[in-house]
Amino acid sequence: MKSLGSLHRILSGSVAAALLAGCAAAQSDVRLVPMAQQNDGASKKTFKYIGGEQTFAVPAGVTQVTIAASGAGGAPGYGYGYSKYTAPGGLGARVRATIAVTPSETLAIFVGGAGGDGGFNGGGGSASGNNGRGGGASDVRQGGDKLIDRVVVGSGGGGGGNAGACTFTTCGYSQGGVGGNGGRRAGKSGGDAQSPVGGGGGDGGNQDAGGKGGAGASEHCSGAHGKRGAGGSGGGNQAECGALGGGGGGGYYGGGGGGAGNLYGTSISAFAGAGGGGGGGSSFAKQGATNVRMEPGKRSGDGLIVITW
């Protein structure tokens, strides 16, 4: 007959073996999740405006990223220090989209500059410095850093037209046209000047072409057409032109520049008609992108890009 001590050792060994077997069975069902999947949606990187190209290296194990690209706002037109005559610039659009990527590949990042900061990445110019300049687009490029490589584009807003005023004396003012907002697949047109013989607003860009420039007092005073990746310049800076038009916003295709106003009257009572507003640019997401959402007129100031994975 076995002793109580021997029986205790046998039972203890049996229980331990059963527990070890149970642990082994439980562990065999555990599936280790890669770190990138454990943090899905929790990791992000934010890119702000710096006036040049930036890069993003796709982390190991990541096969898709979500991009939120916000274009920059256009600058207001010159209003002689009076807010009531200052035509505001348009707001940049925001585009959110998910795209497929390859681990360790590098994406090129271009964050648009506000019109007041020079309109980096496609903001149309104005002949009066940064007054009325269009806002630049914010975009991400894959497989290279050229315009043809863009996969997500948040468009920029058009610049406001300059106010009209007497050329020699103080005899009153008139407001220029407002800048058009950066749009979804088509930008919003800029506003016409609110004055006699004022300039016309530039058209918004779309998916196939840049916006047409706004009409001016003469063909030499009309705004320039937008083109792929850039807004058109505002009209003006010619002897026969009045106040300057605003520049078009950058985008997949940029908005047209606003037309300059006309000059009328003679000598001391001559008046310069106000300029038209620049059109907004168009936004874009590559074919095959998922969860695409485009929101027009969302951002003032410099653009922004946020990448999450």
Side-chain angles (χ1 to χ4, degrees):
M1 182 176 182
K2 298 183 187 297
S3 67
L4 289 177
S6 298
L7 183 59
H8 177 73
R9 285 193 297 273
I10 292 171
L11 290 174
S12 296
S14 299
V15 170
L19 289 173
L20 287 172
C23 279
Q27 289 179 358
S28 67
D29 292 332
V30 173
R31 299 176 62 187
L32 297 179
V33 179
M35 185 63 69
Q37 294 182 28
Q38 291 176 358
N39 294 329
D40 184 33
S43 298
K44 72 176 181 179
K45 186 165 184 178
T46 299
F47 296 88
K48 298 180 180 180
Y49 165 72
I50 64 169
E53 179 179 349
Q54 304 175 64
T55 59
F56 173 74
V58 177
V62 174
T63 57
Q64 67 176 26
V65 296
T66 296
I67 298 165
S70 298
Y78 182 63
Y80 298 91
Y82 298 100
S83 60
K84 65 183 293 185
Y85 300 115
T86 301
L91 302 177
R94 181 172 63 196
V95 177
R96 181 181 175 91
T98 299
I99 64 167
V101 294
T102 301
S104 301
E105 77 168 305
T106 298
L107 304 178
I109 310 296
F110 291 80
V111 179
D117 287 335
F120 172 74
N121 205 29
S126 170
S128 59
N130 289 337
N131 292 320
R133 180 180 286 272
S138 293
D139 67 65
V140 175
R141 308 179 189 189
Q142 187 176 32
D145 62 358
K146 309 302 181 187
L147 287 178
I148 196 172
D149 301 313
R150 295 178 296 173
V151 293
V152 176
V153 181
S155 56
N162 284 2
C166 280
T167 57
F168 298 104
T169 62
T170 302
C171 62
Y173 303 93
S174 59
Q175 188 187 57
V178 300
N181 289 338
R184 297 184 175 92
R185 300 189 183 278
K188 185 177 181 180
S189 295
D192 295 338
Q194 300 177 28
S195 75
V197 295
D203 291 341
N206 57 46
Q207 296 297 289
D208 302 308
K212 293 182 179 180
S218 73
E219 61 178 335
H220 301 295
C221 303
S222 296
H225 301 327
K227 59 184 181 179
R228 191 172 189 179
S233 297
N237 206 30
Q238 300 291 330
E240 67 267 37
C241 302
L244 306 174
Y252 186 59
Y253 279 93
N262 195 4
L263 288 173
Y264 64 95
T266 58
S267 185
I268 198 168
S269 61
F271 192 87
S282 62
S283 297
F284 173 79
K286 66 174 286 188
Q287 186 175 5
T290 58
N291 303 316
V292 176
R293 182 178 181 183
M294 297 183 177
E295 301 174 276
K298 296 298 292 185
R299 188 172 181 87
S300 61
D302 296 322
L304 187 74
I305 290 178
V306 179
I307 298 178
T308 58
W309 64 93

